[in-house]
């Protein structure tokens, strides 16, 4: 019913946070609660994502209508779980993210941890608005769970000393920490201006408390502030490659998030790799079979003819094994347009790889997305980069570091994010006393290097 005549698509919502803080449990709970709401057929499973339709969100948020009045005009929410940070960083899109919104999950008892900080850094870099789910409130001493109840109702039923303990943990472990990293934040029911204050929603993914508020706040904010981003055009698809995977019997396939348009079997598509652009045709599109049992771990995929944004889909196409995770993927409507898009993709990927003769560190990362996030983090810290690329640490990277050493020995290091070190590189590094830092948390990798750097210059 928009005046432009265009529909709105589902906002793409990414769930992230530190290991074990409850991302997957939260998503399971949202899906599971929807099932208990007797509308399982309405939840559609995608590749690496699931869609919760507006009708289900409205039903779950029903008890809150008086507190947070809202009417949904978005068709639903597409949730993406991110087991690893590579996946999240790969949701990249020139100058931003494919994710429209994020839920940062923080264990209210354990507070901020390395990957919490890292998540916030990347959300900042990519300018993704977010809310915080302060999870595991059921573990607060004395908390009496009221399963699947809104937070405000369950909270009212707790004794005062328990309410005070919740408040203390919420403040010390979450809100104060958000302030420390530059965000104004408050409990969601005290937020007056959601554009300036990050809303924190106390929840338990285990008992379902607070899930109603989480969904209501999320859906309300997304449709209020993101309408322009969510206008859906029934044109050629645009998306990003999250991950490359082996599809038994079909070779390499790409798991893709489509954020605009329609992708069809047979479409001419353009994506990119380290050796150059890839132009090919979609041989098959695979989607999970409709949900029968909610807890089926390995859901079988089946071929479909087309998918509409927003969607997560597995794309089978000859030559796609030459693409790189984090690369854009576009549908071209002619050979001519394919060439233009290929050039655009090539430039975009080349812009993320750095080759200079100047002093600076050497950076190797596993995907385009993590490379971009790492390079950006280094730039913010004014750490110069001589060379940055995707792939394992090879001999030539050590040679780059040796060349850098001749200019400034403090930058003669290799920062390896989530990649292997090839044996010959290891030997070469030893010979030239080049230090290699390795980690799978960007934040930690930089900390390790900075600590070493401070020790060296003393
Ligand atoms: P990774 O994917 O490994 O990063 O972890 P995750 O963030 O997805 O955490 P996950 O959902 O797997 O939960 C980790 C553990 O915490 C599991 O044992 C969950 O059962 C438990 N857990 C999650 N949410 C809650 C909660 O609200 N309350 C309690 N008591 N336990 C929870
Ligand atoms: Mg998980």
């Amino acid at each position: 019913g928009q005046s432009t005549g265009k529909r709105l698509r589902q906002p793409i919502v990414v769930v992230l946070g530190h290991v074990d803080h409850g991302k997957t449990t939260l998503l399971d709970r949202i899906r599971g609660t929807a099932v208990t709401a007797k509308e399982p057929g309405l939840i559609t499973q995608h590749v690496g994502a699931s869609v919760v339709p507006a009708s289900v969100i409205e039903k779950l948020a029903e008890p809150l209508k008086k507190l947070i009045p809202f009417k949904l005009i978005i068709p639903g929410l597409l949730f993406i779980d991110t087991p690893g940070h590579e996946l999240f960083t790969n949701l990249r899109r020139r100058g931003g993210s494919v994710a429209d919104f994020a839920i940062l999950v923080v264990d209210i008892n354990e507070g901020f941890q390395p990957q919490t900080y890292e998540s916030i850094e990347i959300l900042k870099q990519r300018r993704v608005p977010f809310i915080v789910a302060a999870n595991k409130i059921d573990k607060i001493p004395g908390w009496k769970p009221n399963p699947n109840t809104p937070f405000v109702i369950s909270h009212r039923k707790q004794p005062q000393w328990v309410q005070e303990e919740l408040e203390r943990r919420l403040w010390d472990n979450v809100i104060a920490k958000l302030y420390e990293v530059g965000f104004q934040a408050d409990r969601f029911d005290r937020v007056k201006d959601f554009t300036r204050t990050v809303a924190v929603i106390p929840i338990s993914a285990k008992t379902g408390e607070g899930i109603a508020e989480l969904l209501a706040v999320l859906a309300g904010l997304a449709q209020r502030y993101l309408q322009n981003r969510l206008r859906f055009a029934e044109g050629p698809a645009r998306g990003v490659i999250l991950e490359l995977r082996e599809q038994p019997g079909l070779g390499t396939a790409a798991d893709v998030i489509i954020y605009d348009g329609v992708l069809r079997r047979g479409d001419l598509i353009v994506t990119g790799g380290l050796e150059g652009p890839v132009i090919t045709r979609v041989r098959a599109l695979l989607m999970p079979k409709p949900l029968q049992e909610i807890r089926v771990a390995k859901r079988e995929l089946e071929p479909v003819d087309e998918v509409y944004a927003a969607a997560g889909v597995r794309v089978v196409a000859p030559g796609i094994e030459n693409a790189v995770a984090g690369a854009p993927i576009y549908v071209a409507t002619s050979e001519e347009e394919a060439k233009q898009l290929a050039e655009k993709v090539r430039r975009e990927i080349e812009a993320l790889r750095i080759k200079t003769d100047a002093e600076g560190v050497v950076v190797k990362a596993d995907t385009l997305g993590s490379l971009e996030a790492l390079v950006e983090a280094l730039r913010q810290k004014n750490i110069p980069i001589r060379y940055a690329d995707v792939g394992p640490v090879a001999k030539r990277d050590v040679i780059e570091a040796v060349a850098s050493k001749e200019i400034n020995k403090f930058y003669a290091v290799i920062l390896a994010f989530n990649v292997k070190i090839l044996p010959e590189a290891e030997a070469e590094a030893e010979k030239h006393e080049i230090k290699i830092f390795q980690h799978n948390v960007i934040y930690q990798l930089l900390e390790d290097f900075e600590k070493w750097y401070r020790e060296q210059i003393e």
Side-chain angles (χ1 to χ4, degrees):
Q2 293 301 304
S3 54
T4 58
K6 282 185 182 175
R7 294 193 279 125
L8 297 183
R9 63 164 170 83
Q10 309 90 340
I12 299 171
V13 181
V14 60
V15 181
L16 66 164
H18 193 70
V19 183
D20 279 352
H21 278 197
K23 303 178 288 293
T24 304
T25 310
L26 172 60
L27 280 179
D28 281 352
R29 169 60 60 179
I30 293 171
R31 288 189 285 251
T33 311
V35 170
T36 22
K38 298 208 171 50
E39 311 201 41
L42 296 176
I43 311 263
T44 40
Q45 199 57 33
H46 288 222
V47 173
S50 38
V51 169
V52 179
S55 59
V56 171
I57 296 167
E58 282 183 339
K59 195 156 188 171
L60 294 178
E62 191 85 82
L64 294 170
K65 278 273 161 73
K66 271 186 229 119
L67 187 73
I68 317 172
F70 69 102
K71 170 102 195 74
L72 289 182
I73 51 172
I74 49 170
L77 296 165
L78 180 127
F79 288 100
I80 301 180
D81 190 6
T82 57
H85 278 260
E86 323 82 85
L87 287 195
F88 173 45
T89 57
N90 281 344
L91 279 172
R92 57 174 302 283
R93 177 174 164 183
R94 228 176 140 132
S97 176
V98 167
D100 301 299
F101 217 95
I103 303 174
L104 176 66
V105 180
V106 184
D107 181 333
I108 194 171
N109 311 295
E110 213 176 274
F112 273 39
Q113 297 297 321
Q115 282 175 300
T116 318
Y117 287 106
E118 172 167 272
S119 301
I120 290 182
E121 276 310 310
I122 303 169
L123 289 170
K124 256 192 202 169
Q125 269 185 21
R126 308 260 164 102
R127 293 188 204 83
V128 181
F130 65 98
I131 55 175
V132 175
N135 193 28
K136 308 200 186 184
I137 57 171
D138 62 287
K139 285 176 84 178
I140 291 168
W143 185 272
K144 295 247 164 17
N146 297 281
N148 298 320
T149 306
F151 168 77
V152 284
I153 295 173
S154 183
H155 181 254
R156 231 179 272 143
K157 294 182 178 165
Q158 309 296 326
Q160 199 188 336
W161 68 274
V162 175
Q163 291 181 353
E164 279 165 9
E165 186 55 26
L166 176 124
E167 214 52 44
R168 199 185 60 74
R169 291 179 190 213
L170 190 64
W171 179 263
D172 292 356
N173 297 345
V174 184
I175 296 175
K177 293 290 184 290
L178 283 161
Y179 272 84
E180 278 171 25
V181 293
F183 287 97
Q184 191 169 313
D186 212 340
R187 207 171 87 183
F188 71 100
D189 48 335
R190 300 178 189 134
V191 174
K192 294 201 176 63
D193 181 352
F194 284 90
T195 60
R196 298 179 55 182
T197 308
V198 174
V200 182
I201 298 123
I203 68 158
S204 166
K206 190 176 171 186
T207 66
E209 290 161 294
I211 301 296
E213 283 102 331
L214 184 77
L215 289 173
V217 171
L218 185 65
L221 286 179
Q223 67 181 16
R224 189 147 149 215
Y225 298 113
L226 300 173
Q227 282 206 19
N228 286 332
R229 257 181 91 103
L230 303 179
R231 285 193 204 294
F232 170 85
E234 221 165 281
R238 294 194 287 166
V240 69
I241 296 185
L242 261 194
E243 226 179 342
L244 292 164
R245 285 175 172 276
E246 286 309 308
Q247 180 65 24
L250 291 170
T252 306
D255 285 357
V256 170
I257 299 292
I258 303 291
Y259 60 84
D260 196 20
V262 191
L263 181 62
R264 296 191 170 91
R265 187 159 53 89
D267 271 351
L268 184 61
I269 52 170
V270 179
T271 181
L274 298 174
E275 308 301 326
V278 176
I279 301 178
T280 181
R281 275 188 193 275
V282 176
R283 182 179 289 165
L285 296 172
L286 304 174
M287 291 283 281
K289 286 186 175 167
L291 261 192
Q292 314 287 318
E293 258 277 294
I294 205 78
R295 277 226 167 245
V296 182
K298 274 221 157 123
R299 213 164 276 112
E300 245 178 272
L301 299 180
E302 64 179 0
V304 296
D305 286 332
E306 57 183 20
V307 291
Y308 284 69
V313 61
R314 186 160 297 170
V315 178
V316 180
I320 207 148
E321 63 274 12
N322 298 319
V324 62
I329 183 162
Y330 300 119
V331 167
T333 50
S334 66
E335 298 283 345
E336 191 49 41
E337 196 193 6
K339 282 193 198 120
Q340 288 165 12
L341 288 169
E343 183 50 27
K344 187 175 154 186
V345 170
R346 195 189 60 74
R347 278 200 307 266
E348 181 177 331
I349 292 178
E350 283 315 306
L352 300 175
R353 305 163 85 187
I354 297 171
K355 291 180 179 64
T356 71
D357 295 324
E359 70 169 18
V361 299
V362 173
V363 178
K364 294 305 289 276
D366 58 341
T367 67
L368 271 189
S370 55
L371 184 72
E372 184 176 41
L374 189 50
V375 163
E376 185 56 34
L378 286 162
R379 283 191 176 135
Q380 275 166 17
K381 291 178 178 288
N382 292 316
I383 299 170
I385 302 163
R386 177 184 173 91
Y387 183 82
D389 206 350
V390 174
V393 178
K395 193 169 167 180
R396 83 151 288 181
D397 302 316
V398 181
I399 294 169
E400 289 290 340
V402 172
S404 185
K405 193 173 186 174
E406 283 155 19
I407 318 174
N408 183 342
K409 64 176 179 178
F410 300 127
Y411 291 129
V413 301
I414 298 172
L415 304 181
F417 179 78
N418 231 3
V419 289
K420 288 202 187 80
I421 301 169
L422 300 178
E424 78 228 32
E426 193 126 38
E428 192 75 4
E430 212 158 291
K431 191 166 105 195
H432 295 282
E433 294 179 16
I434 297 297
K435 193 152 172 55
I436 304 177
F437 293 88
Q438 244 183 323
H439 217 290
N440 60 1
V441 179
I442 293 175
Y443 168 87
Q444 213 71 56
L445 184 61
L446 295 185
E447 284 242 319
D448 291 352
F449 166 65
E450 287 182 298
K451 184 164 173 279
W452 174 87
Y453 183 86
R454 281 193 302 270
E455 284 164 11
Q456 299 299 307
I457 57 172
E458 265 165 20

